[in-house]
Amino acid sequence: MAKEIIELIVNGDRYEVAVEPWRTLAEVLREDLNLTGTKIGCNQGDCGACTVLMEGRSVSSCLTLAAEAHQREIVTIEGLAQGPEDLHPLQEAFVEHGAVQCGYCTPGMILSAKHLLDHNPTPSEQEIRQGLSGNLCRCTGYSKIVEAIGAAAAKMAPAGEGE
Amino acid sequence: MNHNPKIIGASIPRLDGKDKVTGRALYTDDLKFPGMLYGALHRSRLPHARIKKVDTSAAKKIKGVKDVVTGADTPQIKYGNWRLVPGSQDELPLAVDKVRFIGDEIAAVCAVDRETAIKAAEAIEVEYEELPAIYSVEEATAEGAPLLHDESPGNVSLTREISYGDLEGLLAQADYVREDFFKVHAVSHAYLEPCSSIAVPEEGGRVTLYTSTQTPYIVQCLLASTLDIPENHVRVVKTQVGGGFGGKMEMRPWEFAAAFMALRTGRPVKFTLTRSDELAFGRRRHPMSIRSKVGFTKDGKLLAKDFEVMLDGGAYNAMGPTATFLCGTFGNMLYNFQAYRYRGRHVYTNKPPASAMRGFGAPQAAFAQESQMNMAAEELGIDPIDLRLINAMETGDVIPDVATISSCGFKESLEKVRQVSGWDAKRKEKKPGVGLGIGCFSFISGGVFNWFNTKYNFAAAEVTVYPDGTAQLNTMACDIGQGPDTVLRQILAAELGIGIEKIRLVSMDTALTPKADLGTWGSRVTLMNGNAIIDAAKKIKDMLKPVLFDHLDLNQIHEIAFEDDRVLVKANPKKSMSFGECVYHALRGRRGEPLTARGYYTPRDKGLVSPAFSFGAQVAEVAVDQDTGLVTVTNTYTAHDCGVAINKMAVEGQLEGAIQMGLGYTLSEAFVMEQGRTLNTSFLDYKMPAAEDMPPSTYVEVETYEPEGPFGAKEAGEGLAIPTAPAIADAVYQATGFRALELPITPEKVLKGIGRLK
């Protein structure tokens, strides 16, 4: 099948890529743009390791065709920190709270958490757990991930809100 | 016990954390090399068959295909982790005459892109002569059953027997004897990162393999032997590993195929598995059929135990022999009794091979043992915690011919878990549908056994120190997520008295790190590698101490300490110099020879199993819906003796992760098999617990000091994966009156058990 040219805006940078219509966003991010922070854990839309934000919504990039992302704003894990030492509060909290072990689910977890906090800046523990319902982890038992997200929410909340 | 509390016991965040939260951490599939080809496998479609013909002609004709290989092209050398017993090495990287499970690797291809490789693998035609297949240990050991391997009559590849004491006499003398039968099932490691390997050819017929492994040294040796090239021709480099849990501790056929085709084509070759490959064909935990007979006195003293296990090994040995040995060992842990008989048999069936998985035989053995303790307690009219206290091992206890327990916080764990769980009050108030149950565990801190038959030490470390006050640690030890890249640096930092940030780590590269390390399994890394690092650091300190004596004109009775990046006189800490300055002077004195030292550890004279054992107890609280049979775990309480926890946060992480795995094992995870085929090959159908499924967890550390461990530490990674199943099963019994003797405890089984479903 013929390739088509699509335009992706990833972490603020514009890319033009020629892709077969069946290629997924996860593959194009990893293989064409070398943004390998996005992980493929199942390629079936079940594990959430490939989660990215598209126009602010969290999506499984393994179930999203690259062509669907044409001219959309994508945020991947590489786009979250302002600089190598200037981590996003979620990233910082994941490190500090021991929410990372093998790290393979981590990029997807953080982007799902970002989506959650963007829409609900002061989530309850239950809401955090619900927010992670599409992300599987086999190392941590989730508790330190939930803790980290709570801590990041508290830190990011404007004065007077949160704890 | 002289150690720096800012380092030992501190919750230091893992040092690779930043790389992992920013997406910079590199896993094998993230790498690519110029000219790299993509590989794909052709696997058996039948559970048991003779291969009559493999036709690769159509595959070879596809444009972009660069190589196609079958077993016939390969050196056909069998491999397996049990090099000590060559007859146990029963696997070929690519099948030659026979296939023994659906998924057995028959051929491999590589091509310019992944899609072409898959297309070519599918174009390979295999002509089979189908053979009758067997799917259970009962069928496999029945009279006249078809044989998987001609060398193993009765399909039993290995029998392990342990026997001591007067079993028959004590059972006859016992006031109370019971015999029970248990069945446990297979589950997936379900590490989030599917296996991936890239082989890069080097000059002189050498090859470098980047691979997602927990045992680089084992992969190096077995890759060399199966390729029929010298061991030193193979370099294995481990990248970041997205979890292993025992599932990545063998050489795998795609590692062989990548290296073999890289050498043939002169180009790098990558293989990455899919999740459905992992679930359909991957290693799994051993299903077991267990018979256990125990005898007690009327006041609860355990006298004797007769323990018999059949392990369903699937088509090949894999790590099954070790699991068969360890089941026997775990069958007589935790409690003291005078007579024990164990008979374990490893049985072949036409299913994907089972292998090592977190706990390595112990979760299965303990489900039987701990369930039986709970059943006996009820019949004897003794509280289950009291029954355990009557029989519990203590520091100094001896398991005949096996081990001396050098530190043991089991009784303290029982007392603590009783207290934090509110056991006494909650067990008295009987509410229908609500229950509280207990399970206990012990686990090894690495094995003393040398089934891999390495000629090297079990663990090694090379430490170099520099005049700028920094150090470098070279070790083959393998971080697969559990955290030794951080913990081992804590140990070196504490021993050298320098900041952890001063240490550069070079790890898991078989060409750059000292020989050897047996890998990440059996909860061996902290104890064995920690001891090797301390050994190396002490040698470094011995090189540095003379500098102070010389510069300060010290009396030889003085002792030198290493703290806060300084080297100082213990009795007069003002007399000191910086660590870097001390290295500088030592270097001058050595006329340029770097300050490098190697340290080693091999457990010697430590019995037959392990140099040290962890202990613990866990209580689970459940609510059971009497209409649907659904079990919800509402709380867990754990008390745990891992010696001195080097990194508290890392230990908590192990506990919390172990509960998730234990919960899945007990309630929701199982393979659905039909005629040797795994039907649930996605995470939608293979159900491991998600964030919302996890119960709150209370955790108490019972600190002991393990004399054989680095700074008093012992294992924390696997033991915690053991107690959850028996604890939940006991709680379900308390809640419903249904005692599960088979896992998993599905709603259907609960409803049948309480008479709500026929």
Side-chain angles (χ1 to χ4, degrees):
Chain A
M1 231 181 285
K3 287 185 178 180
E4 50 184 276
I5 305 276
I6 59 163
E7 184 187 329
L8 300 175
I9 305 129
V10 185
N11 305 326
D13 296 326
R14 200 181 146 276
Y15 299 87
E16 224 173 55
V17 211
V19 299
E20 289 96 343
W22 43 265
R23 288 191 76 211
T24 66
L25 179 57
E27 285 168 358
V28 170
L29 287 171
R30 288 178 53 77
E31 290 163 12
D32 297 53
L33 308 190
N34 288 319
L35 293 168
T36 54
T38 299
K39 300 299 177 208
I40 297 178
C42 69
N43 224 14
Q44 296 164 320
D46 299 329
C47 80
C50 68
T51 304
V52 299
L53 301 180
M54 183 156 86
E55 301 290 328
R57 281 192 318 119
S58 70
V59 297
S60 292
S61 61
C62 79
L63 290 187
T64 306
L65 292 175
E68 289 177 77
H70 177 52
Q71 290 184 341
R72 306 286 189 99
E73 291 260 7
I74 312 287
V75 176
T76 70
I77 194 67
E78 290 91 345
L80 222 50
Q82 297 304 306
E85 293 307 316
D86 190 9
L87 299 184
H88 185 277
L90 273 165
Q91 293 171 312
E92 212 168 301
F94 267 62
V95 175
E96 290 302 314
H97 288 260
V100 180
Q101 287 188 32
C102 87
Y104 205 75
C105 76
T106 306
M109 285 282 178
I110 290 177
L111 289 166
S112 286
K114 172 139 192 343
H115 172 84
L116 172 72
L117 298 189
D118 286 347
H119 293 84
N120 178 3
T122 55
S124 67
E125 185 191 323
Q126 192 50 35
E127 286 168 336
I128 295 174
R129 287 183 183 271
Q130 279 161 2
L132 300 179
S133 60
N135 294 76
L136 292 172
C137 170
R138 192 54 153 177
C139 299
T140 66
Y142 308 98
S143 40
K144 294 199 185 301
I145 294 175
V146 173
E147 246 176 64
I149 296 169
K155 199 170 169 188
M156 290 160 72
E161 282 180 56
E163 289 144 304
Chain B
M1 283 183 243
N2 175 22
H3 57 69
N4 183 349
K6 276 185 285 183
I7 298 179
I8 300 299
S11 286
I12 294 176
R14 45 185 313 136
L15 300 168
D16 58 3
K18 264 191 192 172
D19 280 354
K20 286 178 171 173
V21 297
T22 52
R24 287 198 299 257
L26 292 174
Y27 300 77
T28 304
D29 188 58
D30 298 338
L31 305 178
K32 47 183 171 184
F33 292 85
M36 190 173 82
L37 302 170
Y38 293 81
L41 293 162
H42 183 93
R43 295 169 178 275
S44 171
R45 288 168 184 154
L46 295 177
H48 198 188
R50 232 169 261 295
I51 298 172
K52 291 176 73 181
K53 194 179 160 203
V54 184
D55 182 358
T56 57
S57 54
K60 282 178 177 157
K61 280 186 203 135
I62 294 172
K63 204 168 165 243
V65 171
K66 297 296 170 189
D67 200 7
V68 181
V69 293
T70 70
D73 303 309
T74 67
Q76 302 183 17
I77 294 165
K78 286 187 176 179
Y79 70 101
N81 277 2
W82 270 56
R83 289 199 305 187
L84 190 63
V85 185
S88 73
Q89 297 185 292
D90 58 2
E91 226 166 330
L92 283 166
L94 295 175
V96 173
D97 53 344
K98 236 179 124 171
V99 284
R100 298 176 176 87
F101 73 97
I102 293 175
D104 217 350
E105 294 81 1
I106 296 174
V109 305
C110 59
V112 290
D113 57 43
R114 196 174 44 225
E115 289 69 29
T116 307
I118 293 170
K119 205 162 106 189
E122 282 169 359
I124 293 169
E125 300 271 351
V126 180
E127 205 179 303
Y128 300 101
E129 176 196 333
E130 192 163 0
L131 299 168
I134 40 178
Y135 307 114
S136 71
V137 290
E138 289 77 15
E139 283 175 85
T141 52
E143 195 67 27
L147 284 190
L148 269 81
H149 299 262
D150 294 340
E151 309 76 25
S152 294
N155 291 311
V156 175
S157 72
L158 176 117
T159 303
R160 160 79 167 160
E161 285 173 347
I162 304 172
S163 178
Y164 60 79
D166 176 15
L167 184 86
E168 301 301 338
L170 284 163
L171 284 176
Q173 192 186 309
D175 300 314
Y176 170 66
V177 175
R178 67 173 304 136
E179 183 173 30
D180 299 288
F181 296 84
F182 301 90
K183 269 200 170 184
V184 290
H185 64 305
V187 285
S188 172
H189 305 85
Y191 37 71
L192 261 280
E193 180 213 14
C195 290
S196 180
S197 306
I198 306 170
V200 182
E202 290 177 59
E203 46 80 25
R206 298 180 181 86
V207 66
T208 295
L209 183 78
Y210 298 82
T211 191
S212 176
T213 183
Q214 51 191 100
T215 51
Y217 171 64
I218 288 179
V219 172
Q220 178 198 10
C221 297
L222 296 181
L223 192 51
S225 66
T226 49
L227 290 169
D228 201 16
I229 60 177
E231 220 159 89
N232 197 25
H233 275 30
V234 177
R235 174 184 180 191
V236 174
V237 182
K238 192 200 73 114
T239 58
Q240 289 284 1
V241 173
F245 311 110
K248 295 177 178 173
M249 69 169 291
E250 300 165 60
M251 188 199 88
R252 282 76 52 93
W254 50 92
E255 291 173 325
F256 171 87
F260 189 60
M261 293 193 295
L263 289 170
R264 281 164 59 104
T265 60
R267 290 171 70 168
V269 179
K270 176 196 268 191
F271 278 79
T272 300
L273 267 55
T274 65
R275 180 57 51 187
S276 24
D277 291 338
E278 290 281 2
L279 286 168
F281 316 123
R283 301 298 205 226
R284 41 197 70 191
R285 180 176 279 163
H286 284 94
M288 295 190 196
S289 300
I290 303 174
R291 179 186 68 82
S292 181
K293 189 175 184 180
V294 282
F296 289 85
T297 65
K298 61 180 179 314
D299 46 10
K301 183 85 197 90
L302 180 56
L303 295 175
K305 183 171 181 175
D306 186 12
F307 200 57
E308 194 180 352
V309 178
M310 275 210 279
L311 294 90
D312 183 346
Y316 297 100
N317 271 324
M319 285 304 295
T322 310
T324 311
F325 271 63
L326 286 178
C327 258
T329 303
F330 295 121
N332 69 343
M333 284 304 298
L334 284 174
Y335 310 111
N336 292 306
F337 44 94
Q338 294 165 42
Y340 179 58
R341 184 168 68 191
Y342 169 71
R343 182 162 184 247
R345 280 177 292 167
H346 184 263
V347 181
Y348 289 129
T349 56
N350 294 109
K351 294 191 294 195
S355 196
M357 180 171 165
R358 202 176 193 175
F360 225 157
Q364 298 99 317
F367 175 67
Q369 162 171 295
E370 289 299 287
S371 293
Q372 204 171 30
M373 282 301 272
N374 291 329
M375 290 149 86
E378 186 179 27
E379 298 265 312
L380 288 161
I382 301 174
D383 176 272
I385 292 183
D386 290 333
L387 182 67
R388 287 174 168 87
L389 285 168
I390 292 169
N391 295 291
M393 282 179 168
E394 290 181 307
T395 303
D397 279 344
V398 174
I399 310 170
D401 302 328
V402 168
T404 300
I405 309 297
S406 42
S407 68
C408 175
F410 185 30
K411 284 190 169 174
E412 295 84 342
S413 297
L414 285 163
E415 297 289 8
K416 284 272 187 220
V417 86
R418 160 177 257 155
Q419 189 194 332
V420 295
S421 66
W423 175 267
D424 292 336
K426 284 180 189 165
R427 284 281 285 205
K428 272 188 206 117
E429 59 173 283
K430 294 220 185 264
K431 277 195 230 158
V434 178
L436 192 71
I438 187 165
C440 301
F441 69 92
S442 173
F443 200 72
I444 57 174
S445 307
V448 306
F449 21 78
N450 188 11
W451 40 255
F452 192 62
N453 201 18
T454 179
K455 307 300 181 287
Y456 298 104
N457 278 291
F458 282 19
E462 183 182 282
V463 175
T464 304
V465 290
Y466 299 97
D468 55 13
T470 66
Q472 177 164 315
L473 169 61
N474 288 33
T475 169
M476 225 182 264
C478 231
D479 196 328
I480 56 172
Q482 86 280 33
D485 281 0
T486 304
V487 166
L488 296 180
R489 272 184 277 187
Q490 282 179 261
I491 290 171
L492 181 59
E495 189 61 38
L496 287 182
I498 62 173
I500 191 168
E501 73 290 347
K502 300 272 168 67
I503 302 167
R504 167 191 274 270
L505 178 74
V506 175
S507 65
M508 334 136 195
D509 179 329
T510 60
L512 299 181
T513 57
K515 289 266 184 305
D517 181 70
L518 295 179
T520 294
W521 55 271
S523 290
R524 55 180 298 287
V525 178
T526 299
L527 186 137
M528 297 206 183
N529 291 282
N531 282 338
I533 287 166
I534 289 175
D535 183 32
K538 286 198 160 130
K539 290 174 186 166
I540 291 281
K541 283 156 72 172
D542 284 343
M543 295 177 195
L544 293 175
K545 284 174 187 173
V547 172
L548 236 67
F549 280 86
D550 183 21
H551 277 242
L552 300 172
D553 192 23
L554 288 179
N555 186 324
Q556 79 273 18
I557 62 166
H558 276 290
E559 189 49 278
I560 303 297
F562 293 76
E563 284 165 24
D564 297 327
D565 296 297
R566 298 197 75 75
V567 186
L568 45 97
V569 180
K570 232 177 163 178
N572 185 0
K574 277 185 200 145
K575 289 190 171 179
S576 71
M577 68 171 72
S578 78
F579 185 84
E581 194 187 348
C582 191
V583 175
Y584 171 85
H585 289 298
L587 204 51
R588 281 289 197 222
R590 291 160 66 86
R591 299 189 70 198
E593 189 189 336
L595 272 83
T596 297
R598 284 186 172 184
Y600 302 101
Y601 181 77
T602 298
R604 294 193 174 95
D605 195 23
K606 298 289 164 204
L608 296 181
V609 183
S610 176
F613 298 85
S614 69
F615 292 88
Q618 188 169 77
V619 166
E621 238 171 48
V622 305
V624 183
D625 185 320
Q626 312 264 347
D627 292 323
T628 63
L630 191 71
V631 177
T632 306
V633 178
T634 52
N635 240 313
T636 62
Y637 308 88
T638 312
H640 175 219
D641 156 29
C642 67
V644 174
I646 304 277
N647 186 323
K648 288 217 164 73
M649 189 159 74
V651 171
E652 285 163 23
Q654 288 299 308
L655 167 79
E656 288 155 2
I659 291 176
Q660 190 251 23
M661 210 175 262
L663 199 66
Y665 182 47
T666 315
L667 298 176
S668 61
E669 293 178 33
F671 285 109
V672 182
M673 304 282 297
E674 197 179 88
Q675 303 289 302
R677 184 181 304 279
T678 306
L679 301 181
N680 50 340
T681 61
S682 75
F683 280 144
L684 199 60
D685 298 323
Y686 181 89
K687 294 182 186 303
M688 61 174 177
E692 285 178 277
D693 303 321
M694 292 302 296
S697 151
T698 303
Y699 169 60
V700 192
E701 189 64 56
V702 172
E703 197 156 290
T704 59
Y705 187 90
E706 169 53 50
E708 186 65 13
F711 297 107
K714 49 188 179 178
E715 84 86 26
E718 292 182 82
L720 289 160
I722 300 167
T724 310
I728 293 174
D730 188 34
V732 169
Y733 174 71
Q734 299 300 321
T736 64
F738 163 60
R739 175 75 71 184
L741 302 180
E742 288 186 17
L743 292 178
I745 308 173
T746 58
E748 194 185 358
K749 282 185 198 160
V750 173
L751 288 180
K752 278 184 182 161
I754 60 175
R756 300 282 292 265
L757 191 71
K758 287 274 176 289

